[in-house]
Amino acid sequence: MATPGNEEPKKKRFFFHPFMDLLVRISKQITPEELSDIKILCSFIPDGDTNKMITAAQLFKKLYEMNKISETDTSLLEQLLCKVDRQDLVENYLKGNKGYQQNQQSTTSHIQDPQTSIQEIGRASCRERV
């Protein structure tokens, strides 16, 4: 208990942007194997950078810093999640994102070879976006 003159330091509160919070929540659902597969799909990121990334949150942050994903454009993230058979994350987290409707109209792919997938995509909704 704090006494006058001997006050406990206030804990710092970190403000998370809602989109960053969304990326963290998605990243917690990604397995190490899926992360490895997503890194392979992100061949536009130098290997030295991806080798240092041990969490999906780090990878998503890099994609954000590279302007590959944003609150209004999650198309690349959707493609990557679909490629590793995580359509559930697209359905559960990204459909509610306000940029989702714009992403549905996007036809640009940031993945170098969109025809090559690591796993067979199971849902038609993801096939349409890939």
Side-chain angles (χ1 to χ4, degrees), residues 3 9 12 29 33 48 51 57-59 62 71-73 85 92 96-97 119 126:
T3 58
K12 288 185 180 179
Q29 304 296 317
E33 294 79 18
N51 291 339
Q58 292 169 323
L59 178 62
K62 181 68 172 180
E71 186 172 348
T72 58
D73 184 7
D85 201 27
N92 294 334
N97 187 34
Q119 298 178 356
C126 282

Side-chain angles (χ1 to χ4, degrees), residues 2 19 22 32 36 45 52 55 78 90 105 111 115-116:
F19 184 64
L22 174 72
S36 178
I45 300 175
K52 296 175 189 174
T55 68
E78 292 173 33
V90 173
Q105 298 171 2
I111 299 175
Q115 299 301 317
T116 304

Side-chain angles (χ1 to χ4, degrees), residues 85-123:
D85 201 27
R86 290 307 307 267
Q87 303 88 321
D88 61 311
L89 297 178
V90 173
E91 298 290 325
N92 294 334
Y93 291 99
L94 297 177
K95 274 198 172 181
N97 187 34
K98 69 181 179 182
Y100 183 78
Q101 295 302 321
Q102 294 170 347
N103 294 338
Q104 291 287 31
Q105 298 171 2
S106 176
T107 57
T108 305
S109 174
H110 299 281
I111 299 175
Q112 289 184 351
D113 185 7
Q115 299 301 317
T116 304
S117 65
I118 295 185
Q119 298 178 356
E120 182 62 34
I121 298 172
R123 293 187 185 177

